[in-house]
Amino acid sequence: MDQSVAIQETLAEGEYCIIISFPAVQGVLYEGDSRQSRLLGLVRHSLEHGGQEHALFLYTHRRMAITGDDVTLDQIVPVSRDFTLEEGAPRTHFLLLCVGSDVTIQLDTAELSLVFQLPFGSHTRTFLQEVARACPGFDPATQDPGFQWLSRYKCVEPESDSRTLRVWNLARDTWPGYTTIGRGRYPSRKGRWGLEGRGDGTSYFRLEEVARGGGCAGPGDGRRDEELEEAGREMSAAASSRERVFAGGSNFENSRSNGKSLLGDQSSGGQDKAENSLTRQNKSKSEITDLVRSSTITVSDKAHILSMQKFGLRDTIVKSHLVQKEDDYTYIQNFRFFVGTYNVNGQSPKECLRPWLSHSIQAPDVYCVGFQELDLSKEAFFFHDTPKEEEWFKAVSDSLHPDAKYAKVKLIRMVGIMLLLYVKQEHAAYISEVETETVGTGIMGRMGNKGGVAIRFQLHNTSICIVNSHLAAHIEEYERRNQDYKDICSRMQFSQIDRSLPALTISKHDVILWLGDLNYRIEVLDVEKVKKLIEEKAFQTLYAYDQLKIQVAAKTVFDGYTEGEITFQPTYKYDTGSDDWDTSEKCRAPAWCDRILWKGKNITQLSYQSHMALKTSDHKPVSSEFDIGVKVINDELYRKTLEEIVHSLDKMENANIPSVSLSKREFCFQNVKYMQLQVESFTIHNGQVPCQFEFINKPDEESYCKQWLTANPSRGFLLPDSDIEIELELFVNKTTATKLNSGEDKIEDILVLHLDRGKDYFLSVSGNYLPSCFGSPIHTLCYMRQPILDLPLETVSELTLMPVQTEDDGSRLESPMEIPKELWMMVDYLYRNAIQQEDLFQQPGLRLEFEHIRDCLDTGMIDNLSASNHSVAEALLLFLESLPEPVICYNAYHSCLECSGNYTASKQVIFTLPTFHKNVFNYLMAFLQELLKNSAKNHLDENILASIFSSLLLRNPAGHQNLEMADKKKAQEFIHQFLCNTL
C-alpha cells in the first residue's frame, strides 16, 4: 500500500511528498544498539520566487500507515549544501555483504549523522536518485537554501535515553566501500567496476579493468551479530512488500523473528512482544537467515556497468560483446533446485512441512516454494492483508532441509498466491538483479484472487524466473485457464536496474520454472471411471484425458515447456484431514490440478511427486527436484575476453556516423475497437557502425507517442549488420476512449526514431477508431436512441461533448431514454439468465466473448448476443469502469463519504445527482437487490456486492487516485445501505 497519503496529510499547503519510503524505502534506523523502523519521505517545497527546497522527513509509524494519524514526525533533515548520503556497509555492524541486496546508507550533515538499512530494489534506487536530484548545486552565485518553511513543523521531543541520540562516530575509513550523494565521491571497490564523482556533485562513470574480487565480505572476527541479523530479517520481510501490485497486493510488513515488532504500532509504546517461535529450536541443524543486502556487485554480474544509468556507447558495446562471447569465459556448474506447490485451501499450517520440503537426502541449493489460496476470507480479497502469510512463512522456514543454512532472498504475495525463494548461505553472494512482479487475472482482468506472482534473479551468470500461478477454476473453463496463462505471460514484466532498458518478460530468461494450481482437470470420463483408473494405478491411461496435456499438445499454452512423467495419483480433491476423495455434494472428480513445468537448457528433473502425508488441505502438495546447469564465470577467461573486446574497440573509428534502414515508415490501423489490441511491426537494419536507438519526445510533448500507442522495444542497441523487430501496439482503453469518441483525439501520430550520434527518422501512424458505448458518458448514451455505430461521427462527437448537466429542453427531435439502452441490454440479459448464477461478478469471462458483447452493444444486434453469464457480468463492470463521469458524479464523492451510515442523508445525495445518473444508480440498485433475493443459489451477499460496485459507482475525483483504506470502507458502507434498504 502507498503510504505517501499518510505523510501528505501531515504536510502544510505548498509542500508535496515526491517519494515515499513504502513500498520504495521503508528503512531500519540504527541508533546505537537499537534498530527502529522509520518511514522516509522526500518533501519538496516550492518557493515564491520559483525555486525549490527539499528535506527528508522521518516518521515513526503504525504497522500500516493509512492516514496522518498513523504517523508521527520524528525528525527533519534539510537537504542542504552540507548534506551527503553515503552508500555502503559499516564493518562495525558485521553485515553479510551480498550483491543485489539491502542497502545500508549513512546520512551526514554538519549537525548529525544517521545510519539506515533500506530494502534492495528499484524503489530504493529511485529514492536515492530523487534525493541526489534534490541536492542543491555548488554554484557560489546561487543563494543558500533558507528552509524557513520548516519552522512550522514540530517533531516529537526526544527522550533522554541513549537510543534517541542522533550522532554516531562512524569513521568513513572503516567502511569497506561507499558511494556518496551530495558533495562526496564514489570510490571504486577493489575488484569492481568503478563509479566516480566530480567535485561539483555530479556523477559520471569510468570503465576500469581491475581484478574481480569475491562477492561476500564477512565479519572481521568471524562472529555474526545476532541482533542485527534478526533486525535484517524483519527488514527483508518488509522489503519484500508487493512492488507495483496492480490488483490485490499484500501488506506483509515483517516476520517477527526476534520477538520485536519493528513495524509495530508506535503508539503502543513500542513494547516487546512475546518471543516468536520463528526462532529455530535447533540452530545446529539448520538456520534461516535473510539475504542481507548491500549495493555492491558480484563476480557473477556479466558487466555491472550495464545495470547503471547514463553509461556511454562504448560501455554498451562492451556489454553486447560480452553477452555474445559468454561461452568463452563461463562454465556449467549444477545446482540442486527444490520446487514445490501447495494449495492450502485457506487453512493455517497444522503439521510439519518437512515430509514435503525435506524429503530428499541431499540439501537443495535453492528452494522455490509456492502457495495458493493462502487466505479465502473477504478481508484478504478486498483489503489484501492476512496473518496467514506470516504463519506459512514460518512453517516453511522451520521445515527447510536440516543439513544446510539458508538465506531468504524474497517473498512475494498477491491475495492468496505466495512465492518464497531461499538459497544456501554460501550462494547468497552470487544472487543479483532480484525483481518481483504480480499479475491479477480475476474479474475485470485484474483482481488478485487468480493470476500469478513471480521472482526473477541472476544466479552467477544465469537468469532465472520462478512463476507461481493460480488459474481459473471449474472443469469447463479450460479456455479461461488458457487465457489466464497468456495474460500472465504478456503482462508479467520486470523492471531492469537501468530504467532506460526495456522490461524483461518471462520468456527473456535462461531458465523458467512454472509451478502452481493450474486447475486443469480430467475431461470426458465420469467420476467413478476416474477413481477406478486411479485405484488400478493406470495413471498413463488417465493422463490421456488430462486437459493440460491436451492443451499443451495443441500448443495453446506452455509452448516449449516440459513436464515430467506423472507417476502419482491426482492431487485434488480430498476431504480435508484425510486421503479420501471428495464426499461433498459436488463430489468433484479427481484431477492433477497442481503442476510443475520448466523451460530452458541444462535442466534435469530428478523427481516429481505428490506428498500424501500432508492432510491440511483438500489438495496434496507437489514437489520436483532439478539439477540445473548454471553458467559460472571463470575470472581469468573473463579478463582475457574483456581485454580482447576493449582492444578491438580501440581500433574502431568512432567518428563514423551510424545509419540504419527501416522496412516500413507508414502504419495504418484500420477499424480500431475498444480494448482490442492491434499490432504493426517493422524491422530496423543497422549498417556498419554500432548504434543506440530510441524513440524521443517531440517538442512540448511528455511522451514519445500518444497514450493509446506503444513501441516495443522503445530503445535498444544494434551491433553492425544486425536487425531488430519493433512492434507498434495500439490499444484503446477507458483512459483514451472518450476523446476518440468525441473527435478531440484521432488515430494520428508521428514517432521520432533517434540514433545516438546519428540522424532522426520519422514514422507516420494513422487509422480510424470505431466509436463505442464503452467510454461514452451516461447522458450521451441516453440521447442515442440508435446504436452508436449507426450514427454519423459528427453526431457522436456533439453528444459526447455535451455537458453532463444537460436536460432535454424539448428542442431535440427525439427525447432521451431514462437510462442507456446498452446498460439495459446487459442487465436484462443477466436478469433473465444469471439471477441464480454462482460466483456472478467474481468469476471472470472470456476476452473473445467480451469483444462479441461490445460489438453487439455498439451495433444494436442484441438478438445475436451469445456469451456466458460471467462474460456479460464482466462486460457490465467494464462498462461502468469506462464511464468518464462515474454514476455518482465526482462532485458528490466527498458528500457520499461524509454521510455513509446515514441512509436518509445518503438518499438525499443521490436525489441531487443529474437525472440520468440518478436513474442509472436506482436501476442498478434494484437489480442488485433482485440478485440478493436469490443469494441461496448465487451465494452473493450485500458485502460482496458493495465491495465490487463501490469502486465503480463511487470513484474518488480525478487527480487523487490513491484511495485510502478508510475512504474505501466508507464507500462500501455507502453502497451497502442501498442494498439493505427499500429504495
Side-chain angles (χ1 to χ4, degrees):
M1 175 176 293
D2 182 4
Q3 298 184 78
S4 59
V5 174
I7 286 189
Q8 190 64 49
E9 285 189 6
T10 69
L11 303 180
E13 184 177 355
E15 275 87 68
Y16 176 60
C17 182
I18 59 176
I19 188 162
I20 179 67
S21 63
F22 183 93
V25 277
Q26 178 168 322
V28 169
L29 172 64
Y30 295 103
E31 297 190 318
D33 294 331
S34 170
R35 288 97 172 115
Q36 302 178 23
S37 179
R38 289 292 185 273
L39 214 56
L40 280 68
L42 178 61
V43 177
R44 178 179 66 207
H45 174 79
S46 298
L47 302 172
E48 292 183 0
H49 55 73
Q52 293 179 346
E53 293 179 351
H54 298 80
L56 278 179
F57 280 44
L58 280 61
Y59 293 83
T60 59
H61 60 97
R62 296 183 179 178
R63 182 176 186 270
M64 177 50 57
I66 297 174
T67 69
D69 294 334
D70 298 325
V71 296
T72 302
L73 184 59
D74 177 61
Q75 192 169 6
I76 297 175
V77 183
V79 182
S80 55
R81 290 189 187 276
D82 62 358
F83 177 97
T84 61
L85 202 62
E86 297 178 346
E87 180 182 333
R91 281 202 181 104
T92 54
H93 284 153
F94 301 130
L95 286 178
L96 172 65
L97 298 181
C98 299
V99 167
S101 45
D102 286 351
V103 180
T104 300
I105 62 170
Q106 177 162 330
L107 185 158
D108 289 298
T109 69
E111 291 78 23
L112 83 165
S113 180
L114 303 175
V115 176
F116 291 94
Q117 184 177 329
L118 308 179
F120 167 76
S122 56
H123 295 288
T124 287
R125 186 58 49 198
T126 302
F127 175 81
L128 295 176
Q129 291 169 355
E130 290 290 343
V131 175
R133 280 195 281 268
C135 292
F138 293 90
D139 184 356
T142 303
Q143 183 178 358
D144 289 340
F147 299 109
Q148 299 298 320
W149 55 282
L150 294 179
S151 60
R152 72 190 73 175
Y153 296 100
K154 182 178 181 181
C155 302
V156 293
E157 292 297 328
E159 300 174 8
S160 58
D161 62 21
S162 60
R163 290 181 298 174
T164 62
L165 295 178
R166 295 291 187 261
V167 180
W168 289 263
N169 294 319
L170 292 177
R172 290 174 188 151
D173 57 7
T174 67
W175 292 39
Y178 56 88
T179 59
T180 301
I181 293 175
R183 289 191 295 174
R185 288 173 55 81
Y186 293 72
S188 303
R189 292 184 182 273
K190 185 177 180 180
R192 306 287 194 260
W193 292 106
L195 169 63
E196 295 192 346
R198 294 196 292 263
D200 62 355
T202 59
S203 62
Y204 65 95
F205 290 85
R206 176 166 60 89
L207 182 60
E208 174 184 45
E209 186 189 355
V210 290
R212 297 171 61 84
C216 182
D221 60 0
R223 294 182 293 105
R224 299 296 305 272
D225 182 340
E226 285 292 324
E227 225 180 342
L228 177 62
E229 180 178 287
E230 300 293 352
R233 193 174 307 160
E234 297 206 29
M235 191 58 239
S236 278
S240 69
S241 295
R242 282 16 91 208
E243 297 175 358
R244 300 190 310 155
V245 175
F246 180 49
S250 161
N251 294 323
F252 178 76
E253 296 287 336
N254 56 344
S255 56
R256 302 171 180 83
S257 50
N258 68 341
K260 293 183 179 181
S261 174
L262 289 180
L263 307 181
D265 187 341
Q266 299 293 331
S267 65
S268 67
Q271 296 179 348
D272 291 352
K273 296 190 177 181
E275 183 72 15
N276 192 299
S277 59
L278 195 133
T279 304
R280 300 299 295 263
Q281 299 299 318
N282 186 355
K283 288 195 176 183
S284 62
K285 288 187 177 181
S286 179
E287 180 177 353
I288 309 301
T289 66
D290 274 330
L291 185 59
V292 183
R293 300 177 170 89
S294 77
S295 62
T296 55
I297 59 159
T298 170
V299 294
S300 69
D301 216 346
K302 295 174 185 171
H304 183 61
I305 53 170
L306 311 172
S307 63
M308 295 293 193
Q309 295 185 357
K310 301 181 181 178
F311 57 86
L313 176 61
R314 182 182 178 89
D315 298 339
T316 310
I317 299 173
V318 169
K319 174 204 173 179
S320 299
H321 282 289
L322 280 172
V323 172
Q324 281 191 330
K325 296 177 177 291
E326 188 177 49
D327 291 342
D328 295 346
Y329 59 85
T330 61
Y331 61 93
I332 300 298
Q333 177 181 329
N334 277 340
F335 287 77
R336 181 68 51 89
F337 277 65
F338 174 96
V339 180
T341 178
Y342 194 7
N343 182 318
V344 296
N345 192 33
Q347 304 297 311
S348 295
K350 302 172 183 176
E351 51 196 347
C352 178
L353 301 182
R354 283 196 173 179
W356 172 39
L357 299 176
S358 304
H359 65 273
S360 60
I361 297 175
Q362 181 178 333
D365 296 297
V366 180
Y367 270 99
C368 313
V369 184
F371 294 95
Q372 307 83 40
E373 294 191 358
L374 203 72
D375 193 332
L376 298 177
S377 68
K378 295 183 180 69
E379 289 75 18
F381 181 76
F382 292 113
F383 301 110
H384 319 311
D385 200 8
T386 172
K388 300 288 181 66
E389 177 180 293
E390 189 171 337
E391 294 174 6
W392 283 101
F393 167 63
K394 174 192 178 300
V396 171
S397 298
D398 285 345
S399 301
L400 300 182
H401 204 287
D403 294 340
K405 296 179 180 180
Y406 290 92
K408 178 178 75 75
V409 179
K410 207 71 173 175
L411 181 155
I412 177 71
R413 182 177 67 83
M414 178 181 69
V415 188
I417 310 171
M418 183 169 80
L419 179 61
L420 282 159
L421 176 64
Y422 300 83
V423 299
K424 281 184 178 178
Q425 282 191 1
E426 58 263 36
H427 302 319
Y430 302 98
I431 296 287
S432 63
E433 300 182 27
V434 182
E435 290 288 342
T436 61
E437 191 53 270
T438 66
V439 170
T441 62
I443 188 72
M444 300 175 70
R446 65 171 190 245
M447 298 297 278
N449 58 320
K450 293 293 190 290
V453 302
I455 303 173
R456 64 91 51 202
F457 61 99
Q458 289 270 131
L459 175 57
H460 287 275
N461 234 46
T462 293
S463 62
I464 300 172
C465 183
I466 317 294
V467 184
N468 175 23
S469 66
H470 190 191
L471 307 185
H474 306 303
I475 186 170
E476 70 278 4
E477 294 289 349
Y478 69 90
E479 289 184 342
R480 177 70 222 193
R481 289 187 275 280
N482 295 350
Q483 180 174 303
D484 287 351
Y485 163 79
K486 294 172 184 176
D487 285 346
I488 293 170
C489 289
S490 63
R491 291 166 49 199
M492 190 78 75
Q493 298 189 351
F494 304 92
S495 298
Q496 300 201 57
I497 296 176
D498 179 1
R499 289 299 182 264
S500 67
L501 297 177
L504 293 172
T505 59
I506 294 172
S507 62
K508 300 294 185 182
H509 291 83
D510 300 323
V511 172
I512 306 168
L513 301 173
W514 197 304
L515 58 111
D517 179 358
L518 305 187
N519 251 325
Y520 287 94
R521 309 300 174 91
I522 305 296
E523 60 183 20
V524 179
L525 303 179
D526 61 38
V527 175
E528 294 307 318
K529 179 62 173 178
V530 171
K531 291 180 179 179
K532 186 174 185 298
L533 290 172
I534 294 171
E535 186 177 348
E536 296 171 353
K537 296 191 182 301
F539 297 142
Q540 290 309 304
T541 302
L542 187 61
Y543 182 59
Y545 299 95
D546 176 70
Q547 287 180 338
L548 180 57
K549 175 185 181 299
I550 295 169
Q551 295 303 309
V552 170
K555 297 186 181 299
T556 55
V557 291
F558 291 103
D559 189 22
Y561 284 79
T562 303
E563 184 181 21
E565 181 182 354
I566 295 180
T567 59
F568 51 91
Q569 71 183 45
T571 56
Y572 175 84
K573 178 183 184 187
Y574 296 86
D575 286 341
T576 301
S578 74
D579 293 333
D580 300 328
W581 297 115
D582 180 26
T583 58
S584 69
E585 181 182 350
K586 294 181 178 179
C587 193
R588 305 275 192 191
W592 286 293
C593 290
D594 310 282
R595 312 289 274 268
I596 298 171
L597 300 93
W598 74 90
K599 187 176 185 179
K601 298 179 179 178
N602 303 314
I603 303 175
T604 302
Q605 188 179 52
L606 305 176
S607 67
Y608 190 24
Q609 63 188 96
S610 66
H611 298 270
M612 298 295 292
L614 274 67
K615 307 180 192 300
T616 298
S617 172
D618 57 355
H619 289 248
K620 299 296 182 182
V622 172
S623 72
S624 181
E625 287 195 311
F626 300 91
D627 272 345
I628 297 181
V630 170
K631 293 173 285 188
V632 179
I633 289 177
N634 179 303
D635 289 344
E636 183 177 347
L637 293 178
Y638 177 89
R639 287 195 294 270
K640 180 180 178 182
T641 304
L642 181 61
E643 288 172 358
E644 293 173 352
I645 293 172
V646 173
H647 182 67
S648 66
L649 288 179
D650 289 339
K651 296 181 179 181
M652 183 182 294
E653 292 292 334
N654 287 322
N656 293 338
I657 298 176
S659 177
V660 300
S661 60
L662 309 182
S663 63
K664 191 176 180 181
R665 298 199 192 189
E666 295 183 356
F667 305 88
C668 185
F669 294 86
Q670 294 288 343
N671 298 329
V672 177
K673 296 182 178 181
Y674 183 80
M675 286 185 66
Q676 187 164 323
L677 178 68
Q678 286 197 31
V679 179
E680 294 279 344
S681 62
F682 69 99
T683 300
I684 304 177
H685 177 76
N686 191 27
Q688 300 307 307
V689 179
C691 75
Q692 289 184 131
F693 68 87
E694 177 184 7
F695 288 98
I696 61 173
N697 299 359
K698 298 180 285 294
D700 302 324
E701 295 192 7
E702 297 181 355
S703 177
Y704 68 86
C705 65
K706 291 186 176 181
Q707 282 185 285
W708 37 260
L709 187 64
T710 304
N712 187 27
S714 62
R715 62 180 68 198
F717 172 78
L718 284 168
L719 289 171
D721 199 31
S722 62
D723 300 292
I724 188 171
E725 184 178 49
I726 307 294
E727 290 187 337
L728 298 182
E729 301 174 349
L730 198 158
F731 187 76
V732 176
N733 58 19
K734 62 181 181 180
T735 305
T736 54
T738 304
K739 287 191 174 181
L740 287 168
N741 279 343
S742 69
E744 295 174 282
D745 191 13
K746 299 182 184 299
I747 305 296
E748 293 177 356
D749 203 1
I750 299 292
L751 302 185
V752 181
L753 180 65
H754 173 73
L755 301 187
D756 187 27
R757 302 178 305 113
K759 70 174 189 176
D760 294 339
Y761 298 79
F762 297 90
L763 287 72
S764 171
V765 175
S766 61
N768 69 295
Y769 178 69
L770 299 180
S772 174
C773 62
F774 290 86
S776 295
I778 289 176
H779 64 286
T780 297
L781 295 174
C782 287
Y783 277 103
M784 290 183 181
R785 287 190 165 272
Q786 295 175 266
I788 192 170
L789 288 180
D790 288 350
L791 295 172
L793 292 178
E794 295 78 7
T795 302
V796 174
S797 175
E798 178 188 353
L799 293 176
T800 304
L801 292 173
M802 187 170 58
V804 66
Q805 295 290 346
T806 299
E807 300 285 348
D808 181 35
D809 57 5
S811 62
R812 296 182 179 273
L813 294 177
E814 294 182 291
S815 60
M817 297 172 289
E818 292 187 357
I819 62 171
K821 59 186 178 302
E822 295 83 0
L823 175 65
W824 174 84
M825 291 175 185
M826 289 183 284
V827 170
D828 181 67
Y829 184 96
L830 293 173
Y831 182 76
R832 288 185 289 105
N833 299 286
I835 201 75
Q836 297 182 350
Q837 175 69 58
E838 187 177 352
D839 295 331
L840 194 68
F841 296 117
Q842 297 170 84
Q843 176 76 18
L846 291 172
R847 180 173 297 117
L848 288 177
E849 289 189 346
F850 166 75
E851 293 173 0
H852 168 69
I853 295 166
R854 177 206 58 211
D855 291 345
C856 288
L857 297 177
D858 289 341
T859 59
M861 306 290 287
I862 190 61
D863 293 337
N864 295 336
L865 180 58
S866 175
S868 70
N869 294 335
H870 293 303
S871 293
V872 177
E874 186 173 24
L876 173 59
L877 299 182
L878 290 170
F879 173 82
L880 296 174
E881 183 189 46
S882 73
L883 294 171
E885 184 79 20
V887 175
I888 299 176
C889 299
Y890 285 124
N891 59 17
Y893 173 76
H894 293 292
S895 298
C896 292
L897 298 189
E898 291 170 1
C899 66
S900 63
N902 184 335
Y903 186 51
T904 301
S906 299
K907 287 196 297 182
Q908 184 59 36
V909 173
I910 297 300
F911 182 78
T912 62
L913 293 177
T915 301
F916 302 128
H917 287 251
K918 179 173 56 180
N919 293 344
V920 168
F921 180 84
N922 291 329
Y923 180 67
L924 287 171
M925 291 301 105
F927 168 62
L928 296 181
Q929 287 187 354
E930 289 298 315
L931 287 177
L932 291 172
K933 293 177 182 177
N934 292 269
S935 59
K937 294 286 187 180
N938 58 37
H939 299 157
L940 292 171
D941 61 36
E942 295 89 344
N943 292 327
I944 292 175
L945 292 178
S947 298
I948 294 170
F949 280 86
S950 61
S951 62
L952 301 173
L953 305 180
L954 185 59
R955 288 187 244 145
N956 58 326
H960 300 83
Q961 297 303 315
N962 295 319
L963 188 61
E964 300 176 24
M965 190 61 67
D967 287 352
K968 184 175 182 179
K969 291 181 177 180
K970 287 181 180 178
Q972 292 180 7
E973 184 179 1
F974 182 87
I975 300 299
H976 189 276
Q977 301 171 109
F978 290 90
L979 298 175
C980 300
N981 294 283
T982 304
L983 296 175

